[in-house]
């Protein structure tokens, strides 16, 4: 489908980076106290700092500073579902997760890769 997941306003993205980002560094990038706000999916780290939904008090803040692959595949905002483990998801959930990857990749800069990630595709 042409234009699927295209942002309403064109987003100029930087070339994706593959700099290693430790799990500890990722955790600090949770938007609290003006910090950057990152969300990882399948080990790729996206900078979502400009989106209030990922900031403290936002509906997706549960994902901030974490790899949210499993929760996104499950379309869940429950803290217990936020995990990097997506390979055990069913085919439907994996397809949903891939849609989220497409969505994020058209809107947010990739600023690195989670160091030691075992959930890359």
């Amino acid at each position: 489908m042409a234009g699927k997941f295209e942002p309403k306003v064109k987003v100029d993205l930087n070339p994706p980076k593959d700099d290693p980002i430790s799990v500890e560094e990722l955790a600090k990038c949770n938007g609290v106290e003006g910090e950057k706000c990152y969300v990882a999916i399948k080990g790729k780290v996206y900078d979502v700092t400009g989106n209030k939904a990922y900031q403290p008090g936002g509906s997706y803040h549960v994902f901030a500073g974490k790899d949210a692959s499993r929760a996104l595949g499950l379309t869940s905002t429950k803290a217990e579902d936020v995990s990097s483990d997506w390979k055990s998801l069913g085919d439907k959930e994996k397809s949903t997760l891939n849609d989220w990857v497409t969505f994020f990749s058209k809107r947010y800069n990739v600023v690195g890769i989670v160091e030691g990630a075992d959930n890359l595709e």
Side-chain angles (χ1 to χ4, degrees), residues 60-99:
Y60 298 129
H61 185 252
V62 68
F63 303 146
K66 300 176 181 77
D67 188 314
S69 299
R70 184 171 190 78
L72 290 168
L74 295 170
T75 61
S76 169
T77 55
K78 295 178 184 173
E80 61 266 25
D81 290 331
V82 178
S83 165
S84 62
D85 173 30
W86 61 269
K87 294 183 179 178
S88 63
L89 294 172
D91 290 343
K92 181 180 178 194
E93 290 83 8
K94 286 178 181 175
S95 177
T96 298
L97 176 57
N98 288 334
D99 287 346

Side-chain angles (χ1 to χ4, degrees), residues 34-81:
E35 290 290 325
K36 289 189 177 290
C37 193
Y38 293 167
V39 173
I41 307 172
K42 291 185 171 181
K44 284 187 181 179
V45 182
Y46 297 87
D47 185 347
V48 297
T49 303
N51 188 328
K52 291 180 183 175
Y54 297 95
Q55 299 296 323
S59 54
Y60 298 129
H61 185 252
V62 68
F63 303 146
K66 300 176 181 77
D67 188 314
S69 299
R70 184 171 190 78
L72 290 168
L74 295 170
T75 61
S76 169
T77 55
K78 295 178 184 173
E80 61 266 25
D81 290 331

